[in-house]
């Protein structure tokens, strides 16, 4: 026995080495001292950069997980190509200052009072704390420091990057460009950029463009996130149309003000993505001892195609971005009174709508615009946030009590950042509206924008919101924002501080949301901005859901919702069923409208006062069917089963995380030449399992009351559903079907 024990002890050092090595590999962030390399690993992703011989931070690798440290060598700057193509221009720096012959997009550009604009950032030190790495850079001679923060999310492989620019000297300087990060992609040609663009009522159109030598810019100069372009990107190669295969690099900015993402291919065919504050009309004077923090810029990689990139973002948003764990809950079914009453709200009318909504199975009743001040149309009243006594002589309390007694929570529409010139607030404080002295004030929707960058305006806005929620049992605010910046002046502060309005406005907006949520922990908030004008990862840290578009026409919504889900989870996507004819003068069936809206967070916006008893009964059945699948739709995995280019036939599948339920939606725009639709092949199923299948497919009214109800259609195996698919019977124009699969056996 002694000999055996002695022999076994020989293996202890080797075991300790192996354990130490395994522990090192399990860490999300490591610094390889001998090679001066930082290795960041999360999930199936590795991200590596190092310190080169010039003491610059230099990118090394971003892609699939590489666990062997020996594979990575110390970094050396890129050699000079010619006297016109210097090393500094092509060395892939992690965070480049504008100086020393840099011709590519810098991450930081400054001007000192003496006219010096040269900025060369070198490595100073670093700290690792759990999943966060901080790297400190400093200019080679001046007291400007930049702290780079990298946070690794091991579950998804996403990396959050941010920078903080500090003035540790005694002289102010002006920042002209402050970016969050430079991302460097693997050297290759043939990259394709996917982004989301559009306009009011036409948001989230998927835009695909080849990346060529030069620069492509995604941006907003409107003061908010904007419908024109969204701060999300995805890059892959060779025009791949496969949703589930292929390398994809993707990312999103968390900022609700002016933003900019540039995608640049150098003459050496290096592709870099730089994002942060928009440089347009930007100047931020940094006083001694002061600092400026840039927005969070999130980046990810997958080899599983754009479909997996979307699912990674969805899971990340639900678990790491949405506040107070709201991404782990399910959204209630909501009714909004706008289309029924518009500005003609009163207690009796809202009560009647609430009773009809409750009978349908609605869980939250929201009263929209018109409840305050002299708000009888959109010409007056914004800014005067007192309850209109003629419409609500008992205040809001009586209505809220009635809504609660019907089993629903109560929500209210607000537009805190706006003011009508015809309002008591504007007459008292005309200087509170954005303006340039001596210049006209441009109105949009008959309103002006309050300068929320001002401390007094910020405090006023917080306090009336706080009092509104404190004095009334309000569970939900629909926070609207119906115009863009114009005349973004701030004449009350020194000239060198006035352009800070672009940053401070959004910072103060965030502060109000943060304070409001902290004081009222149960309060939920929707980000609405004339539709999808304020949807980004910054606002999502502070709100529970968003309004993708004012366009609720069901066929248009299919495309808008499909684009939206490339970047954002269906969990937050409010989707209304409204009356027809709608936005395009088009009429489609109630079933079609419900099945489109059931792919997100379902809501009803129809005028229930005009709905027939038959429609109300059908709606009740659709709401009940949605409640059976909403956990799967809102918190499951989304698979797009049809190509993005196909607008005639669109199909989406939602699979529950535990694999027990699947909801598959299919929509036919128009049948042509008598042809049917090919079988629908489902994804992510257990091929060894058997699934019970129920269906909503009743294109014509049925006297037996089955419209909107799920009916049984037997069982099929996962293998059959994957390889053969579901046989569809879609026909005619605007036909639709929902299949619900329940896993019953292996």
């Amino acid at each position: 026995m002694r000999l055996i024990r002695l022999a076994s002890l020989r293996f202890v050092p080797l075991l300790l080495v192996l354990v130490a090595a395994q522990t090192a590999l399990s860490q999300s962030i490591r610094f390889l001292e001998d090679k001066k390399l930082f290795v960041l690993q999360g999930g199936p992703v590795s991200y590596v950069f190092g310190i080169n011989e010039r003491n610059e931070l230099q990118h090394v690798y971003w892609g699939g997980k590489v666990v062997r440290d020996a594979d990575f060598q110390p970094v050396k700057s890129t050699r000079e190509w010619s006297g016109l193509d210097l090393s500094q221009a092509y060395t892939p720096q992690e965070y480049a200052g504008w100086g020393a012959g840099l011709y590519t997009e810098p991450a930081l550009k400054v001007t000192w009072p003496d006219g010096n604009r040269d900025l060369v950032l070198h490595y100073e030190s670093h700290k690792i704390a759990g999943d966060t790495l901080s790297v400190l850079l400093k200019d080679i001679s001046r007291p400007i420091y930049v702290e780079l923060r990298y946070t690794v999310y091991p579950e998804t492989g996403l990396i959050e990057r941010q920078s903080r620019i500090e003035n540790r000297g005694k002289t102010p300087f002006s920042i002209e460009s402050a970016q969050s990060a430079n991302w460097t992609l693997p050297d290759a040609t043939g990259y394709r950029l996917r982004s989301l663009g559009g306009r009011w009522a036409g948001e989230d159109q998927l835009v695909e463009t080849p990346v060529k030598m030069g620069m492509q810019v995604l941006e907003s100069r409107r003061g908010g996130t904007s419908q024109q372009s969204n701060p999300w990107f995805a890059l892959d190669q060779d025009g791949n149309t496969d949703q589930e295969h292929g390398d994809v690099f993707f990312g999103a900015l968390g900022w609700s003000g002016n933003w900019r993402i540039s995608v640049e291919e150098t003459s050496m065919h290096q592709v870099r993505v730089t994002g942060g504050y928009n440089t347009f009309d930007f100047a931020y004077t940094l006083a001694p001892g002061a600092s400026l923090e840039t927005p969070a810029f999130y980046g990810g990689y997958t080899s599983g195609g754009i479909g997996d990139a979307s699912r990674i973002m969805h899971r990340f948003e639900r678990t790491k971005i949405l506040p107070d764990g709201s991404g782990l809950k399910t959204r209630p079914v909501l009714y909004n009174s706008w289309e029924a009453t518009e500005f003609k709200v009163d207690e009796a009318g809202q009560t009647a709508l609430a009773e009809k909504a409750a009978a349908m199975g609605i869980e939250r009743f929201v009263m929209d615009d018109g409840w305050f001040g002299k708000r009888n149309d959109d010409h007056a009243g914004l800014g005067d946030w007192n309850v209109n006594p003629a419409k609500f002589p008992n205040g809001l309390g009586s209505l809220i009590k009635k809504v609660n007694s019907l089993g629903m929570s109560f929500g209210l529409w607000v537009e805190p950042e706006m003011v009508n010139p015809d309002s008591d607030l504007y007459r008292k404080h005309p200087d509170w509206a954005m303006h340039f002295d001596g210049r006209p004030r441009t109105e949009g929707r008959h309103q002006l924008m309050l300068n929320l960058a001002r401390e007094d305006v910020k405090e006023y806005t917080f306090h009336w919101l706080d009092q509104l929620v404190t004095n009334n049992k309000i569970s939900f605010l629909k926070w609207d924002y119906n115009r863009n910046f114009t005349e973004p002046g701030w004449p009350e502060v020194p000239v060198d501080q006035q352009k800070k309005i672009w940053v401070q406005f959004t910072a103060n907006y965030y502060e109000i949301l943060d304070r409001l949520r902290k004081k009222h922990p149960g309060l939920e908030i929707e980000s609405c901005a004339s539709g999808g004008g304020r949807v980004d990862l910054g606002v999502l840290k502070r709100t529970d859901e968003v309004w993708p578009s004012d366009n609720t026409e069901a066929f248009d919504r299919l495309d808008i919702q499909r684009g939206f889900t490339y970047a954002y989870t269906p969990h937050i996507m409010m989707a209304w069923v409204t009356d027809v004819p709608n936005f395009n003068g088009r009429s489609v069936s109630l079933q079609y409208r419900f099945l489109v809206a059931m792919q997100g967070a379902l809501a009803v916006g129809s005028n229930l006062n005009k709905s027939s008893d038959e429609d109300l009964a059908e709606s009740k059945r659709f709401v009940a069917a949605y409640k059976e699948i909403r956990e799967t739709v809102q918190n499951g995995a989304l698979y797009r089963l049809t190509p993005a280019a196909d607008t005639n036939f669109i199909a989406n599948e939602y699979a529950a995380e535990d694999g027990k339920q699947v909801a598959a939606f299919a929509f036919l725009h128009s049948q042509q030449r008598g042809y049917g639709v090919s079988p629908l092949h489902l994804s992510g199923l257990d091929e060894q399992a058997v699934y019970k299948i129920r269906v909503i497919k009743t294109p014509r009214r049925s006297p037996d009351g089955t419209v909107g109800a799920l009916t049984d259609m037997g069982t099929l195996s996962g293998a059959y559903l994957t390889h053969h698919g579901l046989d569809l019977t879609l026909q005619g124009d605007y036909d639709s079907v929902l299949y619900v699969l329940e896993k019953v056996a292996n």
Side-chain angles (χ1 to χ4, degrees):
M1 292 296 294
R2 176 178 170 79
L3 291 175
I4 293 173
R5 283 198 296 269
L6 287 173
S8 64
L9 287 174
R10 297 192 195 111
F11 295 98
V12 171
L14 176 60
L15 180 62
L16 291 175
V17 169
L18 291 173
V19 169
Q22 185 61 42
T23 301
L25 290 175
S26 67
Q27 294 174 340
S28 59
I29 301 172
R30 306 193 306 279
F31 180 62
L32 309 182
E33 188 79 41
D34 57 333
K35 299 181 179 182
K36 295 186 177 180
L37 290 178
F38 296 95
V39 179
L40 284 60
Q41 291 185 330
V45 180
S46 291
Y47 186 95
V48 183
F49 63 96
I51 306 166
N52 68 20
E53 80 284 359
R54 291 199 295 251
N55 218 27
E56 301 163 336
L57 285 190
Q58 181 172 332
H59 179 79
V60 175
Y61 175 80
W62 186 20
K65 190 171 185 177
V66 178
V67 298
R68 187 172 179 265
D69 290 342
D71 292 337
F72 296 110
Q73 301 305 312
V75 291
K76 184 173 175 56
S77 60
T78 303
R79 69 182 180 86
E80 179 180 297
W81 178 249
S82 73
L84 302 176
D85 300 287
L86 304 177
S87 171
Q88 288 87 343
Y90 297 111
T91 297
Q93 294 187 57
E94 279 288 289
Y95 196 88
W98 186 76
L102 184 79
Y103 303 121
T104 53
E105 185 71 7
L108 183 62
K109 186 177 186 302
V110 304
T111 296
W112 293 85
D114 63 2
N116 177 61
R117 303 190 305 281
D118 187 62
L119 179 65
V120 179
L121 296 172
H122 282 180
Y123 168 83
E124 280 280 304
S125 63
H126 73 272
K127 292 187 298 183
I128 298 173
D131 294 327
T132 298
L133 164 68
S134 297
V135 182
L136 190 65
L137 307 179
K138 181 189 177 297
D139 179 65
I140 54 176
S141 65
R142 302 221 173 182
I144 176 170
Y145 288 76
V146 181
E147 181 193 4
L148 305 183
R149 289 199 298 275
Y150 297 75
T151 300
V152 179
Y153 294 90
E155 303 87 351
T156 58
L158 282 167
I159 298 172
E160 176 185 354
R161 294 180 61 181
Q162 231 174 338
S163 65
R164 188 176 74 235
I165 303 141
E166 304 175 25
N167 183 353
R168 298 188 184 180
K170 298 180 180 180
T171 305
F173 60 82
S174 177
I175 302 174
E176 297 170 20
S177 175
Q179 304 304 300
S180 302
N182 297 115
W183 299 94
T184 301
L185 274 64
D187 287 351
T189 57
Y191 278 107
R192 171 184 57 180
L193 170 64
R194 281 184 167 120
S195 60
L196 297 173
R199 62 176 185 176
W200 176 78
E203 293 90 339
D204 296 320
Q205 299 169 43
L206 185 65
V207 181
E208 299 183 353
T209 54
V211 176
K212 298 180 179 179
M213 200 176 296
M215 188 171 314
Q216 294 166 260
V217 175
L218 311 173
E219 66 174 350
S220 172
R221 300 182 176 190
R222 297 168 178 259
T225 320
S226 93
Q227 282 96 341
Q228 178 182 336
S229 188
N230 189 271
W232 167 86
F233 75 90
L235 287 155
D236 61 2
Q237 287 184 286
D238 302 324
N240 180 23
T241 59
D242 189 328
Q243 284 274 326
E244 303 303 327
H245 299 89
D247 292 344
V248 181
F249 298 87
F250 57 96
L253 267 172
W255 184 244
S256 307
N258 277 10
W259 59 271
R260 185 176 189 265
I261 295 175
S262 64
V263 180
E264 179 179 20
E265 181 175 329
T266 72
S267 57
M268 296 294 189
H269 298 300
Q270 301 165 321
V271 174
R272 300 177 183 176
V273 180
T274 303
Y277 293 125
N278 200 321
T279 55
F280 172 77
D281 198 42
F282 184 88
Y284 198 100
T285 299
L286 207 59
S291 64
L292 173 65
E293 191 164 277
T294 64
F297 197 2
Y298 304 87
Y301 161 81
T302 178
S303 60
I306 191 68
D308 193 48
S310 296
R311 290 188 291 274
I312 290 170
M313 287 297 292
H314 297 172
R315 187 163 59 254
F316 177 68
E317 290 156 3
R318 290 195 309 269
T319 59
K320 300 299 181 182
I321 294 294
L322 291 173
D324 306 326
S326 66
L328 303 177
K329 306 172 187 175
T330 52
R331 308 297 312 146
V333 181
L334 178 151
Y335 178 77
N336 184 285
S337 67
W338 171 252
E339 293 201 4
T341 57
E342 296 191 353
F343 296 101
K344 298 176 182 178
V345 297
D346 57 36
E347 185 171 338
Q350 297 296 296
T351 297
L353 287 168
E355 289 172 343
K356 291 182 173 67
M360 189 190 297
I362 298 295
E363 298 161 316
R364 172 168 288 159
F365 182 87
V366 179
M367 181 167 62
D368 212 281
D369 200 352
W371 58 269
F372 55 92
K374 297 177 181 178
R375 187 69 167 171
N376 298 312
D377 53 38
D378 61 8
H379 289 71
L382 276 179
D384 301 337
W385 298 102
N386 49 291
V387 178
N388 185 306
K391 297 179 180 182
F392 298 94
N394 303 311
L396 296 179
S398 179
L399 173 63
I400 295 173
K401 185 177 180 180
K402 176 64 177 178
V403 168
N404 293 161
S405 74
L406 293 168
M408 299 182 293
S409 60
F410 181 80
L412 198 63
W413 179 95
V414 294
E415 193 172 8
E417 295 138 292
M418 306 298 167
V419 63
N420 287 124
D422 185 2
S423 68
D424 292 341
L425 180 68
Y426 185 77
R427 284 184 281 271
K428 184 177 180 181
H429 295 290
D431 55 318
W432 281 14
M434 284 186 189
H435 68 283
F436 291 118
D437 282 344
R439 305 293 295 179
R441 303 186 182 196
T442 303
E443 295 182 23
R445 198 176 178 250
H446 313 293
Q447 62 196 51
L448 300 170
M449 183 172 289
L450 293 171
N451 182 4
L452 206 64
R454 291 177 53 137
E455 190 70 14
D456 50 2
V457 176
K458 179 193 73 176
E459 289 303 314
Y460 165 80
T461 303
F462 169 76
H463 285 296
W464 76 254
L465 283 164
D466 174 43
Q467 288 301 304
L468 179 68
V469 179
T470 298
N471 296 334
N472 299 282
K473 193 177 178 182
I474 295 170
S475 301
F476 172 85
L477 290 176
K478 183 179 178 70
W479 185 310
D480 214 342
Y481 175 91
N482 280 309
R483 58 157 296 171
N484 297 311
F485 283 28
T486 57
E487 295 86 41
W490 192 359
E492 297 81 14
V493 299
V495 172
D496 69 334
Q497 303 292 322
Q498 290 181 10
K499 289 183 180 180
K500 286 186 177 181
I501 191 172
W502 298 109
V503 173
Q504 198 60 46
F505 182 100
T506 300
N508 284 358
Y509 163 64
Y510 285 169
E511 182 187 324
I512 292 169
L513 288 171
D514 292 341
R515 289 167 64 186
L516 202 59
R517 295 192 73 106
K518 184 176 181 180
K519 189 167 182 182
H520 305 280
L523 181 67
E524 296 181 7
I525 301 172
E526 176 185 304
S527 174
C528 175
S530 286
R534 190 147 66 181
V535 182
D536 59 81
L537 296 189
V539 76
L540 288 183
K541 279 198 165 186
R542 299 161 171 90
T543 58
D544 304 89
E545 62 189 47
V546 298
W547 180 231
S549 179
D550 284 347
N551 184 351
T552 60
E553 195 279 308
F555 180 68
D556 279 3
R557 262 302 182 114
L558 271 179
D559 186 55
I560 292 169
Q561 291 178 182
R562 180 162 60 174
F564 180 94
T565 60
Y566 275 93
Y568 302 107
T569 170
H571 180 99
I572 63 170
M573 183 176 71
M574 291 303 297
W576 287 12
V577 177
T578 54
D579 292 328
V580 292
N582 205 302
F583 191 80
N584 296 300
R586 182 183 291 127
S587 292
V588 299
S589 70
L590 188 63
Q591 173 176 300
Y592 190 97
R593 284 175 275 153
F594 259 101
L595 294 193
V596 170
M598 285 165 67
Q599 295 179 94
L602 176 66
V604 177
S606 304
N607 185 351
L608 302 183
N609 294 324
K610 294 183 178 180
S611 297
S612 67
D613 290 342
E614 194 170 21
D615 280 349
L616 290 172
E618 285 184 23
S619 297
K620 182 177 181 178
R621 287 192 288 271
F622 279 115
V623 169
Y626 175 73
K627 289 178 181 178
E628 289 194 46
I629 63 170
R630 70 170 150 190
E631 173 67 32
T632 295
V633 169
Q634 294 181 20
N635 295 335
L638 169 62
Y639 296 89
R640 302 180 195 90
L641 302 180
T642 50
D646 192 346
T647 58
N648 191 55
F649 175 56
I650 296 174
N652 298 308
E653 175 193 334
Y654 299 79
E657 281 197 349
D658 62 8
K660 293 181 179 179
Q661 187 183 71
V662 168
F665 297 82
F667 303 88
L668 179 66
H669 176 267
S670 55
Q671 190 176 22
Q672 300 174 45
R673 298 179 294 280
Y675 289 110
V677 177
S678 300
L680 189 63
H681 296 264
L682 301 185
S683 296
L685 301 185
D686 179 354
E687 293 192 19
Q688 307 305 314
V690 173
Y691 293 84
K692 177 185 175 182
I693 303 172
R694 292 180 295 160
V695 64
I696 290 180
K697 175 65 178 74
T698 44
R700 291 172 294 278
R701 292 193 179 276
S702 174
D704 62 4
T706 59
V707 176
L710 287 161
T711 57
D712 291 338
M713 59 172 291
T715 61
L716 289 169
S717 71
Y720 183 90
L721 292 164
T722 300
H723 301 298
H724 177 276
L726 283 165
D727 292 311
L728 304 179
T729 57
L730 298 175
Q731 58 186 344
D733 295 340
Y734 302 109
D735 202 359
S736 58
V737 63
L738 163 64
Y739 293 95
V740 178
L741 286 66
E742 307 285 352
K743 188 176 180 180
V744 294
N746 282 320

